[in-house]
Amino acid sequence: MPPVELLRAGGQEAAIAGGIVTLVLVGVLARLLAGPVEPLGLPVLVALVATSSTSASYAVRARLTVLRALGEVRARLGAPLHPGVPWPPVGSDAALPERLLNREFRRLIGAAYRCHDLSSNALAWAFVSVVVLVVWLLI
């Protein structure tokens, strides 16, 4: 899979995981407002908080991985560090050495794969959170 598609898929998976975790939190709040939690449900509630937190942390780590990799590449190539600032690499008429471009490209590909892996984990943990939520609601 090309790196751009990996980043796109990773972003979509992280967004889906965030939506699922948000719905799980809404479900938890609705259940907590409905009445007291049964003593048997407390360990399941702890597991629910743990799985949701794990999913959210994977999604955040995926985003930070991409931002860090892009920031490092921009810093090594002499670009402004803020991603919103346009820049010509090392001057408008200077070409970058191919060896440097290949090395930076490999680093970005590695970051794209890592981002996709982290966002896939976020999505998997979000689905686990849904299952734990259903179990908790049935108790």
Side-chain angles (χ1 to χ4, degrees), residues 44-71:
V44 179
L45 179 60
V46 170
L48 181 58
V49 169
T51 57
S52 297
S53 299
T54 303
S55 175
S57 69
Y58 274 123
V60 168
R61 285 176 50 201
R63 172 80 173 161
L64 292 177
T65 297
V66 170
L67 290 178
R68 188 177 326 118
L70 289 174

Side-chain angles (χ1 to χ4, degrees), residues 23-41:
L23 290 175
V24 166
L25 290 176
V26 168
V28 167
L29 289 175
R31 172 60 180 91
L32 289 175
L33 292 174
V37 178
E38 299 291 325
L40 183 61

Side-chain angles (χ1 to χ4, degrees), residues 3-15:
V4 172
E5 289 181 25
L6 280 174
L7 287 175
R8 185 178 300 120
Q12 289 172 346
E13 288 175 350

